[in-house]
Amino acid sequence: MNLLNGKETAAQIRQEIAQKVKDHTEKGGKTPHLAAIIVGSDPASETYVSHKVKACNEVGINSSVIKFDDDATEQEVLEKVEEINENSDIDGLIVQLPLPGHISESKIIETVRYQKDVDGFHPVNVGRMFSGLPSFLPATPYGIMELLRRYKIETSGKHCVIVGRSNIVGKPVAMLMSRKGEPGNSTVTICHSRTSNLEEICRSGDIIIAAMGSPGFVKQNMVKEGAVVIDVGITRVKSDKTKSGWKLAGDVDFDAVAPKCSFITPVPGGVGPMTIVSLLENTLRATAKEIYS
Ligand code: NDP
């Protein structure tokens, strides 16, 4: 079994991005600037945003965090998005999800100017990705593809089973794994909560991507010998072994599954750090106007 070490790979990519930012500014380009809007005080969301800010600092990208209380109105958030759309110093904008129930996520996502949509959630970016046109790729699927690429995992002609069909992970990663290209060229099956023979389908997967949010769901008997397993899941679970009283758990029963795998990502230290560097990469691309002029 080999570990797909997202933490190490992401550290390497951060160095590369820092160099690219330096080259860009030395040539007279502007310093990239990422803005993040966060609504409410969900501890997980606050942690994710603080990790993103820290990563920006490390590579020389400026960042701003705009914080709203839980009871902020949809109109207030929309107005802020529009203000940032018009602010030429800000190159990339993310709105941390989930938003409180009274705010329409799709309305907010569609209001972000697609040229600044470094999360890759705007329908223009989603549509362009599906059409094989240059676009901002959503950070988690982008990070997974980069991890596969850097570890030279063969994906062509392989059966890739994806468990989860969300707009931010399952569906886009299915698209990228099945596209013409390397990594890509896989034959993809998407599973979800209504899939009737999920265990059997998983067993036929050369590559399994678990993105459900159900700790330890993928068991040893669901994975074939030599499979590549990518665990996207991050759930806070209680633990008596940590000072905080909780730990992060993935969707894969790691200890039981790992011995059967050719490659597997750990949680934490797998997909999570790759997601953050993909966001940095997108922000730099937005600043350099690599995708939209
Ligand atoms: P969603 O809740 O949006 O989607 C979960 C998907 O899993 C749904 O399609 C759901 O099916 C499916 N699912 C849930 N339970 C089962 C089950 N028992 N059997 C089969 N399918 C099931 O989650 P996200 O895609 O946003 O996130 C998934 C996980 O990945 C979470 O733990 C999240 O925290 C983590 N995550 C990690 C990131 C990282 O950087 N590492 C980034 C983003 C997310 P249905 O559609 O039928 O309801």
Side-chain angles (χ1 to χ4, degrees), residues 88-244:
S88 59
D89 185 51
I90 296 178
D91 309 290
L93 167 61
I94 58 169
V95 181
Q96 186 65 40
L97 302 179
L99 291 169
H102 64 280
I103 299 180
S104 158
E105 288 188 356
S106 60
K107 220 179 203 179
I108 302 288
I109 287 169
E110 287 185 56
T111 304
V112 173
R113 187 173 287 172
Y114 67 85
Q115 294 94 333
K116 297 191 178 192
D117 167 43
V118 288
D119 257 340
F121 295 161
H122 190 284
V124 169
N125 282 311
V126 176
R128 289 177 65 95
M129 177 186 69
F130 269 69
S131 308
L133 295 168
S135 65
F136 291 116
L137 298 179
T140 302
Y142 185 4
I144 293 170
M145 301 307 282
E146 193 56 25
L147 198 57
L148 293 172
R149 192 174 75 75
R150 292 198 179 222
Y151 275 88
K152 299 187 170 56
I153 304 289
E154 182 61 79
T155 58
S156 183
K158 303 293 182 192
H159 181 207
C160 176
V161 176
I162 296 166
V163 193
R165 57 176 166 181
S166 72
N167 287 339
I168 65 167
V169 190
K171 279 194 273 186
V173 83
M175 172 64 225
L176 295 173
M177 288 299 287
S178 60
R179 73 178 172 182
K180 262 189 190 162
E182 286 292 337
N185 291 329
S186 290
T187 305
V188 171
T189 304
I190 305 180
C191 299
H192 44 76
S193 64
R194 308 293 170 92
T195 301
S196 50
N197 50 344
L198 194 146
E199 294 196 4
E200 197 184 311
I201 295 172
C202 283
R203 271 195 294 276
S204 73
D206 303 304
I207 301 167
I208 298 177
I209 302 178
M212 322 156 61
S214 182
F217 181 92
V218 177
K219 301 275 187 303
Q220 193 185 36
N221 67 348
M222 293 164 66
V223 178
K224 79 169 166 191
E225 207 64 54
V228 175
V229 174
I230 308 288
D231 189 351
V232 185
I234 307 179
T235 309
R236 279 180 185 223
V237 294
K238 281 192 179 152
S239 168
D240 51 18
K241 293 194 181 103
T242 62
K243 236 203 265 173
S244 61

